[in-house]
Amino acid sequence: MFSAIGLAALLWAWAGPAAAVPPMREAQREAFLAAEAALAAGDEAAYWRHLEGLRDYPLFPYLRYQWLRARLDRARPLEVKVFLCLYGDTPVAGDLQRAWLESLASRERWEEFLRAYDPGVADLSLDCLRRRALLHAGRAGEALDGIEEIYASVVPEPEACTPVFAAWEAAGGPGEAVKWRRIRTAMAAGRGDLALELAGGISRGARAAVAAWQEARAHPGRLAALVAGMPRGPAREWVIRDGLAALARRDPGAALAVWRRNRARWRLPAEAARAVETGIALALAADRDPAHRRDLETLAARLEDPRLVEWCVRLSLLDRDWRGVLKWTARLPAGRRSRPAWRYWRARALAALGRKGDARRIYEELARDRSYYGFLAADRAGRPYALETRPLEADPGVAAEVAALPGVQRARELLFLGRREAARREWAAAVRGLDRDHLLQAARLAHSWGWYDRAIAALGRAGCLDDLALRFPLAYLPEVSARAARADIDPAWALALMRQESAFDTRARSRSGALGLMQLMPGTARFVARRRDLPLRSLDEVFRAETNIRLGIGYLEMVRDRFGGNPVLATAAYNAGPARVEEWLPEEGPVEADLWVETIPFTETRRYVKRVLFYAAVYEARLGRRPPARLADRMPSIEPVVTLAALPAPAPALP
């Protein structure tokens, strides 16, 4: 046990006295980078020499972290404890804590592990290491407390959990019911091999049931025959539900027919039967096949699921069945019925049925909103758009408090050094607990740094939607204007798309792999680069703002031309891919654009198109065009036939 005096001495040595007047940041940045380079080269003497002038530099904790991290297997517990005490508010403190615990576990220093473990850290791998430490300490009861839920619900489990599972199995657990829960989790995770292995440990019949389950997913047309040979049990219900879901994705009508023929025989529990019918009904809605319209309406009326009722509204719109629009919007729960979308479509229906006064009252009310539907309603009512901006007032005192936060200072330095991910972690930790006044000044600060995505996010958290300059920055305007002019693309449209895609984060990377400001898929970026004779040596270049804008606007130009210059179709194609948009074109006769947008099958693309069109109108105002072009002018009718050019379809983010 170290004494309080020893701990205090180490604290002083690590932190050092704060200088009254900090030196110039540029010199400190250079020293910081030199210290990092010295540490990487193994030159500790140079590292310590550079460190001396950095004790008041915001990123000083990062140098101490890197030094400790490099010698963690030789570090003393007190050194780690001191770092965590001094710099516990930094994200790297959590990194060090995790690395230290993993180091102790790898060396089987279990007693030290338990002393160092922080129960407040929500990390499953570390939790399983804690359980292993308890097992080594002979505290099996504590080690296995709550392990059943982890075993049943986590697949694949962290490697650290495997020995704990083995110890639990040796002690007599898990039971068959828990194994079946784990099988279900494994199947949901796409681990059919694990599901079969687990079922084999139950019985030969259980393994056969899981094999039938996999067959039902792969060949759902055989579902009825597969279920007929299965005994009642946990797997049977899941086979039916998964098999019908798979069939509904391929052929919703066939899924409905199989369900109706077998529902009485299968006798699923009420909740499971409702889930099956809801899934089939949603698939029928997205399929938009008129042959099954009545089936969908029957299910929607019986199930009373708001999503199905909304789809009945949309399909009534496709049929121009304005009485149906009124009927189905009236069946929505009050909270949904009052949303701008359904108020707008009620007004459209009322106007189509000759009740123009009632329709106009709704349009007038909606036109006060700054939103997609507010702008559509303003077009119908002949009103100006609600584009008044209320600049966020500066509060020098609060702004100074925000700027002085250590985490904010570290974020600024990391951003200056181009380490955006580390900067985002620091920023997120620094602003997490701020009140509204401080959060608003943080948004102003981030905007002043050109960190637009963090400013937009902070404004959203604070519920501040009226400062249009902060919410809709004219980021990268020279590059956008130049490229847009060459492609004959409206710069307001390009800015709107960029705002929706990345909120102007040059390093944005989606889960599907889209990159940069305009979120280009790698294949799309390479394709456009070839077509534009732009050398693209590596995908890292796609993160450069100028390159991304050039490629993104180039691709937008291509999809615009492919769809006959229609910006609505081009916007949808930018998100979902040209091939899918072609599938959604009307088969005969033109369709009004607002109606077409409302009936896009993919929820994500439907929202995307609305936002981009709304943002484009705002950006017209931000670019000084008064009044901005009406949405009605941006939304020409959707024709059944458009001129198409050969283009690849980028992988979309599906709803």
Side-chain angles (χ1 to χ4, degrees), residues 50-205:
H50 291 300
L51 198 67
E52 276 306 307
L54 295 173
R55 291 183 181 274
D56 63 342
Y57 181 54
L59 298 186
F60 178 78
Y62 281 71
L63 290 175
R64 302 303 294 130
Y65 163 76
Q66 291 170 24
W67 180 78
L68 258 180
R69 187 72 178 82
R71 57 187 297 278
L72 205 55
D73 59 340
R74 294 173 284 130
R76 292 177 294 160
L78 183 60
E79 291 176 307
V80 175
K81 184 176 182 179
V82 166
F83 182 93
L84 296 178
C85 181
L86 284 171
Y87 309 118
D89 65 329
T90 66
V92 290
D95 296 341
L96 183 69
Q97 171 81 342
R98 180 187 180 89
W100 174 241
L101 290 169
E102 288 175 343
S103 172
L104 292 174
S106 68
R107 290 176 284 157
E108 298 189 349
R109 291 166 61 173
W110 299 114
E111 289 185 18
E112 287 183 40
F113 181 100
L114 289 173
R115 284 196 296 269
Y117 181 79
D118 179 1
V121 176
D123 184 289
L124 181 57
S125 181
L126 291 181
D127 178 63
C128 281
L129 288 176
R130 175 190 67 87
R131 293 172 183 276
R132 289 179 62 187
L134 290 169
L135 287 170
H136 279 275
R139 296 155 63 182
E142 293 177 65
L144 300 180
D145 181 40
I147 196 64
E148 176 181 311
E149 189 58 33
I150 298 172
Y151 177 87
S153 60
V154 180
V155 171
E157 73 276 9
E159 186 179 343
C161 296
T162 304
V164 183
F165 289 174
W168 185 38
E169 289 170 0
E176 183 175 328
V178 178
K179 285 185 178 179
W180 274 114
R181 286 181 60 200
R182 183 164 171 79
I183 289 169
R184 178 70 176 123
T185 304
M187 289 293 289
R191 287 293 308 277
D193 57 332
L194 176 60
L196 280 172
E197 179 185 332
L198 290 165
I202 298 174
S203 69
R204 187 175 299 175

Side-chain angles (χ1 to χ4, degrees), residues 61 102 262 277 333 445:
E102 288 175 343
N262 295 281
E277 292 187 335
L445 183 63

